[in-house]
Amino acid sequence: MRDFMILMHDDATSEPSSDLWRAWFSSLRDSQRFDGGSSIGMGETYRKLGVPGHASSHLTGFVRVRAESLGEARRFLAGNPVFECGGTVEIRELPRD
């Protein structure tokens, strides 16, 4: 089983309802492959030398899930409120270094 992070962007074409969020989180919990998540607030970037890059202001939240592959992780897009409302959802593997 591999770990994946699902990142939600702030570009949905309509505002996801709280009912959509509740239903999606319920389905994640039911999958028994949900390992938490959070909304993402504002922050700053840092760099020891030189000017740091800009913080990514378009990311609004994340969840962590377990799946056998990226293809299997894509099944968690079904019901995702940002995805269902026309927004971008990014899935990234979390390699075990």
Side-chain angles (χ1 to χ4, degrees), residues 25-55:
F25 278 110
S26 178
S27 71
L28 289 175
R29 284 195 247 353
D30 290 347
S31 76
Q32 298 183 350
R33 294 191 179 189
F34 173 57
D35 288 328
S38 176
S39 58
I40 298 174
M42 297 305 297
E44 295 184 12
T45 60
Y46 303 91
R47 185 174 180 171
K48 188 170 185 172
L49 299 173
V51 179
H54 296 286

Side-chain angles (χ1 to χ4, degrees), residues 5-9 58-59 77 88-92:
M5 183 176 289
I6 300 174
L7 299 161
M8 277 71 72
H9 293 227
H58 64 277
L59 297 175
L77 293 178
T88 304
V89 178
E90 185 175 337
I91 302 175
R92 296 286 189 103

Side-chain angles (χ1 to χ4, degrees), residues 3-9 24 28 33-34 36-38 40 59-66 70 72-78 80 82-83 88-94:
D3 295 318
F4 292 89
M5 183 176 289
I6 300 174
L7 299 161
M8 277 71 72
H9 293 227
W24 187 58
L28 289 175
R33 294 191 179 189
F34 173 57
S38 176
I40 298 174
L59 297 175
T60 60
F62 76 95
V63 297
R64 188 172 172 161
V65 296
R66 286 171 279 117
L70 178 60
E72 185 183 13
R74 279 196 303 262
R75 73 183 175 108
F76 294 112
L77 293 178
N80 175 283
V82 173
F83 184 74
T88 304
V89 178
E90 185 175 337
I91 302 175
R92 296 286 189 103
E93 185 171 358
L94 300 171

